[in-house]
Every structure is written in C-alpha cells, then in structure tokens.
Amino acid sequence: MSDDPHAVAFLSLLRAVPGLRVFPDEQGNTPTATTALPYVVTWVSVRYDLGPTIDLRSTRGVATATVHSVGLNDTSARITAGKVRDAYLDVVPAIAGRKAFPIRHDDSPPARPDESTGRRVYDQIDVYRLESLPG
C-alpha cells in the first residue's frame, strides 16, 4: 500500500466495508482469473497542485481513485459499485496533518464486459477525487 496519506485514506475506506473484497490487498496482491466474484480493484494517483499560499507552493493534495467494480454480470458490477459509492461519496476522511474535503464522484461510464483475464466479467469503472490542504 502506498504511504501517501490520500491513497491510504481511499483504500482504508473500502477495506472497512464488510464483505467487500478489495485489491490490491494489504499484501499488494491483485486479482487473477480464478478470483471469486465480485471484487473491486482500486488504483490511486496523487498529485500536488498549487495551494492557496503566499509562497506559491504546491500544497493542495489531489488524489484520484479509479475503481473497477467487477462482477459476473452488469447488475453485479453495479451493485458492487454502489457499495463503493456508499463508502466514498461525500465522506471527509481523517488525514493526519491535512484538512480533507468531501470525496467527489467525477466519472462513471456504463458497466461493460471484459475478457482480459481469460474469462468474461463485467467491469464498472468509477472515478473519485479527494482533495486536501495542510492543516
């Protein structure tokens, strides 16, 4: 797991959902073609943008979580995506040394079939954003 506090916050919120299988898991493993369905795969990227400071420093943390909710069919993928939405949307996570803002939902194309692992599954991709400032 990343040591960036934004990534830790995103992954911790999902791992706290009972019955939700989250990848990468705490050992860094990712799903395989034989992983039981449903599950979510979350990839987090973090950048630091110019913050509201007089010294023009990049202090605004902007984290994006791209979440793949994977199920046997489109309904299963959407139900799993709903659990993710319940865990994230409008939540203000505690991040030590930072003032976090509510998590926002930025994008959600329809669930679609995916055979990249050698078996057909359905993948609902959602993009969430978490921003914070020092404090």
Side-chain angles (χ1 to χ4, degrees):
M1 177 161 48
S2 168
D3 62 350
D4 186 281
H6 300 86
V8 170
F10 265 134
L11 291 168
S12 295
L13 287 170
L14 286 186
R15 290 181 179 142
V17 176
L20 188 62
R21 190 172 313 121
V22 179
F23 293 97
D25 63 18
E26 293 183 5
Q27 291 76 41
N29 298 314
T30 56
T32 67
T34 60
T35 300
L37 298 171
Y39 59 83
V40 298
V41 180
T42 303
W43 301 113
V44 180
S45 63
V46 183
R47 70 178 193 268
Y48 286 86
D49 289 348
L50 185 63
T53 62
I54 289 205
D55 59 358
L56 299 175
R57 294 182 46 227
S58 297
T59 58
R60 177 181 287 273
V62 181
T64 301
T66 303
V67 182
H68 296 256
S69 299
V70 180
L72 182 60
N73 53 44
D74 61 333
T75 301
S76 174
R78 282 194 310 273
I79 289 169
T80 303
K83 293 177 182 180
V84 172
R85 184 176 52 253
D86 290 345
Y88 279 168
L89 193 59
D90 297 326
V91 170
V92 180
I95 301 176
R98 312 261 329 152
K99 178 192 180 313
F101 296 95
I103 295 173
R104 299 299 182 214
H105 189 213
D106 285 341
D107 195 20
S108 181
R112 63 177 186 232
D114 180 346
E115 296 180 1
S116 63
T117 63
R119 70 173 171 172
R120 173 172 256 184
V121 297
Y122 282 78
D123 185 7
Q124 170 70 47
I125 302 171
D126 292 283
V127 179
Y128 293 90
R129 176 176 31 92
L130 168 60
E131 297 187 34
S132 74
L133 293 172

